[in-house]
């Protein structure tokens, strides 16, 4: 990991005025340098070059100061270029289209789009742990808070598709028409603002299924009104897509919203049909017995049993669930009963010695949590996807991610419709 300073001075030429500003927060210098190196062989690099060269000089200065070595700009550039290109998921050499990746998480959209021949020219994600995972796999540090104008100014002018899995927020539309201005203060407003300025050929938005009924349907109604009327995009009715229909054993429903710039004369779109590739948990189960730390203690198992019984007595269906090898997992989510709704039975354990501080002993029924790698597979991430963070962060990241195969199947339809592939 490159250890840049938190702040760098940047000379910015704006017409005839020469300004100096400080780029702060969220290691934007790392982002601009890796974005520059990722695009060093194409015209997109021009959007990052001036800032990247300053960041490079800061890096050289830091290395000399901290390690007492002589390092030259060309050597540093080659070293860093190797670091950004020698990753599990490099950019396709002969890419067919360009896209940007907003609210990128750990790169589920990016894997899908790169699989189809896409080149990512800008990415943003505010979570620091997610950034670590993103960089480990793509060699690129995402820019930070996309609500900040200093971040938005790095977006290149020329890209074909905007991808965003933006959070769901309520809008202030009481007594209003539910238009562009009514979304101010929400993250969708920033997405809409970017669409308005850059006018990509196509947009691909993903959100939780609950968006359909959020705020009694007003939220989705406003989003569609902004896209269709304020931004002038053809937007077919959104569709709920289930990941289990696209080759992963997870019952995960998400709403997909796609749109096409109206001057492209596109007036129909067909979402992908479910595949016949039905799989079960057995396909994603760990090949070897997982470490003992994933097995529940006897006391915790009993707590779950008691908790479920209390809810059943109240007529509720809430509680833990054990997924059989020939079954399909519940949606993996962050918090609540996210992991407990996806327990499994694994009798391969032979050493019951606790490896973490637990109350009671390791249960003898083989009940364990799924591992982060199993969650990765449930979302369609390939096994060469690096997980460089602790388990707690990994569960959060995969729980928040998109299901790659479902995204890829839909993206294929979008790209075919726009004739980008």
């Amino acid at each position: 990991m490159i250890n840049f300073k938190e702040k760098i001075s940047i000379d910015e030429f704006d017409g005839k005025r020469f300004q100096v500003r400080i780029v702060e927060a969220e290691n934007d210098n790392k982002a601009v340098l890796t974005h520059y190196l990722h695009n060093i062989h194409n015209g997109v690099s021009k959007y990052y070059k001036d800032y990247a060269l300053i960041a490079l000089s800061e890096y050289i200065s830091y290395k000399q100061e901290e390690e007492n070595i002589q390092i030259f700009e060309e050597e540093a550039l080659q070293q860093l270029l190797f670091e950004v290109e020698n990753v599990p998921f490099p950019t396709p050499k002969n890419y067919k289209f360009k896209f940007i990746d907003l609210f990128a998480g750990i790169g589920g959209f990016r894997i899908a789009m790169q699989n189809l021949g896409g080149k990512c020219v800008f990415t943003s994600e505010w979570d620091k742990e997610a950034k670590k995972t993103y960089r480990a796999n793509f060699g690129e540090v995402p820019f930070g808070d996309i609500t900040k104008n200093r971040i938005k100014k790095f977006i290149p002018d020329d890209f074909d598709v905007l991808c965003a899995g933006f959070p769901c927020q309520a809008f202030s539309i009481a007594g209003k028409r539910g238009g562009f201005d009514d979304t101010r203060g929400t993250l969708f407003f920033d997405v809409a603002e970017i669409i308005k300025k850059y006018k990509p050929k196509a947009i691909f938005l993903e959100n939780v299924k609950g968006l359909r009924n959020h705020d009694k349907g007003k939220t989705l109604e406003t989003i569609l009104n902004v896209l269709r009327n304020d931004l002038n995009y053809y937007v077919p009715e959104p569709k709920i897509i289930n990941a289990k229909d696209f080759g992963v054993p997870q019952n995960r429903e998400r709403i997909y919203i796609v749109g096409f710039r109206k001057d492209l004369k596109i007036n129909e779109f067909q979402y992908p049909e479910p595949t016949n590739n039905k799989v079960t948990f057995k396909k994603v189960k760990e090949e070897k017995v997982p470490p003992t730390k994933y097995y529940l203690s006897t006391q915790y198992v009993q707590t779950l049993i008691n908790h479920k019984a209390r809810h059943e007595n109240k007529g509720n269906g809430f509680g833990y669930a054990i997924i059989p090898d020939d079954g399909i997992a519940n949606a993996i989510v962050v918090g609540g009963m996210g992991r407990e709704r996806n327990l499994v039975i694994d009798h391969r354990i032979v050493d019951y010695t606790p490896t973490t501080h637990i109350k009671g002993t390791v249960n003898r029924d083989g009940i364990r949590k799924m591992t982060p790698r199993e969650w990765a597979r449930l979302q369609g991430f390939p096994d060469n996807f690096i997980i460089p963070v602790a388990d707690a962060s990994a569960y959060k990241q995969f729980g928040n991610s998109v299901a790659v195969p479902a995204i890829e199947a839909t993206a294929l339809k979008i790209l075919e419709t726009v004739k980008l592939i």
Side-chain angles (χ1 to χ4, degrees), residues 360-400:
T361 59
V362 176
N363 82 91
R364 295 306 194 265
D365 296 318
I367 302 174
R368 67 168 175 85
K369 298 176 290 186
M370 291 184 189
T371 66
R373 180 59 65 188
E374 288 169 335
W375 273 34
R377 292 169 180 166
L378 287 176
Q379 293 282 49
F381 284 81
D383 280 357
N384 62 329
F385 189 85
I386 297 172
I387 306 176
V389 295
D391 282 0
S393 292
Y395 284 121
K396 177 183 177 182
Q397 291 171 12
F398 290 116
N400 282 332

Side-chain angles (χ1 to χ4, degrees), residues 344-363:
V344 295
I345 301 289
D346 193 337
H347 290 297
R348 295 175 296 174
I349 183 172
V350 294
D351 183 0
Y352 292 90
T353 304
T355 56
T356 56
H357 298 291
I358 62 173
K359 294 181 179 179
T361 59
V362 176
N363 82 91

Side-chain angles (χ1 to χ4, degrees), residues 28-222:
D28 292 341
N29 44 351
K30 295 181 186 179
V32 73
L33 184 52
T34 53
H35 275 69
Y36 170 67
L37 292 171
H38 258 283
N39 293 283
I40 200 168
H41 300 306
N42 63 57
V44 179
S45 62
K46 67 183 179 183
Y47 294 99
Y48 306 111
K49 183 177 180 180
D50 292 343
Y51 299 92
L53 293 179
I54 298 292
L56 179 62
S57 68
E58 288 286 328
Y59 168 67
I60 293 172
S61 174
Y62 174 84
K63 297 290 282 186
Q64 289 174 334
E65 180 181 327
E66 293 295 311
E67 301 180 17
N68 193 29
I69 61 174
Q70 291 295 317
I71 186 168
F72 299 97
E73 182 172 317
E74 184 63 26
E75 293 175 354
L77 193 61
Q78 291 303 319
Q79 176 186 337
L80 295 174
L81 188 58
F82 175 79
E83 288 184 19
V84 302
E85 292 181 341
N86 189 32
V87 289
F89 303 96
T91 294
K93 291 188 180 300
N94 298 312
Y95 59 88
K96 303 172 183 176
F97 63 94
K98 291 180 284 189
F99 68 97
I100 66 172
D101 191 9
L102 307 180
F103 309 99
I106 56 176
F109 260 110
R110 182 160 180 163
I111 290 179
M113 300 300 276
Q114 287 190 175
N115 285 346
L116 296 170
K119 162 71 174 173
C120 185
V121 296
F122 176 87
T123 182
S124 71
E125 167 58 45
W126 68 271
D127 185 87
K128 292 181 179 179
E129 292 297 299
K131 286 186 176 186
K132 292 179 183 178
T133 302
Y134 200 99
R135 183 181 181 186
N137 288 280
F138 303 103
E140 193 166 71
V141 177
F143 283 95
D145 188 351
I146 196 61
T147 67
K148 307 298 183 185
N149 286 330
R150 63 181 173 81
I151 300 298
K152 291 175 185 171
K153 73 175 298 179
F154 284 108
I155 299 176
D157 288 333
D158 182 24
F159 62 91
D160 302 296
V161 185
L162 177 146
C163 302
F166 67 98
C168 180
Q169 297 169 291
F171 303 141
S172 300
I173 57 176
K176 301 180 181 180
R177 69 182 182 88
F180 186 82
D181 288 339
D182 302 322
T183 67
R184 289 183 183 275
T186 71
L187 292 171
F188 174 74
F189 172 81
D190 295 284
V191 175
E193 191 177 46
I194 292 169
I195 295 172
K196 183 177 183 180
K197 179 177 180 180
Y198 295 97
K199 298 178 175 59
K201 293 182 178 72
I203 56 176
F204 185 3
L205 310 181
E206 182 263 9
N207 214 301
V208 295
K209 177 184 177 182
L211 176 63
R212 175 172 282 177
N213 299 315
H214 191 261
D215 195 15
K216 300 180 181 179
K218 294 179 182 177
T219 300
L220 180 58
E221 181 182 353
T222 299

